[in-house]
């Protein structure tokens, strides 16, 4: 069975039981300096490998920008 997730307004299909960490790896998304929000809740990077995704989940990727 597959699930669909939305990442920054783009729909992706993955096998059920996939974790946030696996999605990040498979899509070659940047890990350093990034924040991922799942359904508008920020997920700590220490939990990425524990968070199972569900059909219809929405993920937002934010890159931290330093400045002064």
């Amino acid at each position: 069975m597959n699930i669909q997730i939305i990442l920054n307004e783009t729909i992706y299909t993955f096998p059920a039981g996939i974790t946030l960490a696996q999605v990040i790896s498979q899509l070659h998304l940047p890990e350093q300096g990034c924040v991922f929000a799942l359904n508008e809740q920020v997920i700590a990077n220490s939990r990425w490998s524990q968070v199972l995704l569900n059909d219809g989940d929405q993920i937002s990727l934010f890159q931290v920008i330093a400045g002064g």
Side-chain angles (χ1 to χ4, degrees):
M1 183 171 119
N2 289 329
I3 62 169
Q4 288 189 329
I5 62 162
I6 302 168
L7 173 65
N8 287 357
E9 301 180 12
T10 301
I11 298 172
Y12 294 91
T13 301
F14 292 100
I18 196 164
T19 66
L20 179 57
Q22 290 170 318
V23 167
I24 293 167
S25 176
Q26 287 185 24
L27 295 179
H28 306 288
L29 299 173
E31 297 180 32
Q32 297 292 345
C34 291
V35 174
F36 290 89
L38 175 61
N39 301 322
E40 300 183 10
Q41 295 286 341
V42 173
I43 305 296
N45 60 353
S46 62
R47 295 194 51 235
W48 291 352
S49 63
Q50 302 164 358
V51 175
L52 291 175
L53 300 177
N54 297 299
D55 192 46
D57 278 348
Q58 294 188 15
I59 301 171
S60 299
L61 164 62
F62 302 97
Q63 290 188 297
V64 179
I65 299 174

